Amino acid sequence: MTSDKCLGLVECLGEFFPEAAWQRCTVHFYRNVLSSVPRSKSRDVAAMLKAIHAQEDLPAAREKGSLVVNKLESLQFSVAARCERDGVEETLSYMCSPREHWTRVRSNNMLE
């Protein structure tokens, strides 16, 4: 199941679909992080976030996520860094699926 972080949906998923995995939509995650970044820096931060999901495997994506948190903190974007640190793992669930499915399950945004 791929969705934004709608708590009601996430909480009831286990009750109605106990074997289903949940994937936080990457596009919604980017929007959440970018909402706390000045508009003039949003393009740079978006590129950093997309680089996390462009990695070849889960360990590399986690490592890149840590580097992005450090970079956001060095740029004095502590709220964005906290949002990224707290939520990035939820956006990496798709990497446990076969690679050929990654583009279809990482987002629920049809334009993505």
Side-chain angles (χ1 to χ4, degrees), residues 34-92:
L34 292 172
S35 68
S36 60
V37 173
R39 188 172 287 263
S40 62
K41 298 292 183 182
S42 62
R43 185 175 293 227
D44 297 333
V45 174
M48 287 189 272
L49 294 173
K50 289 177 182 180
I52 297 168
H53 298 99
Q55 300 302 307
E56 66 277 358
D57 58 20
L58 187 56
R62 286 179 174 148
E63 182 178 336
K64 186 65 173 181
S66 296
L67 294 173
V68 169
V69 167
N70 294 339
K71 181 69 172 178
L72 290 172
E73 288 173 344
S74 73
L75 293 171
Q76 305 297 314
F77 300 147
S78 59
V79 174
R82 186 175 343 104
C83 184
E84 195 272 339
R85 185 184 324 103
D86 294 346
V88 73
E89 192 66 30
E90 298 168 339
T91 67
L92 300 176

Side-chain angles (χ1 to χ4, degrees), residues 1 7-21:
M1 167 74 78
L7 294 180
L9 178 64
V10 175
E11 290 174 359
C12 76
L13 183 64
E15 181 179 340
F16 292 100
F17 301 102
E19 295 179 18

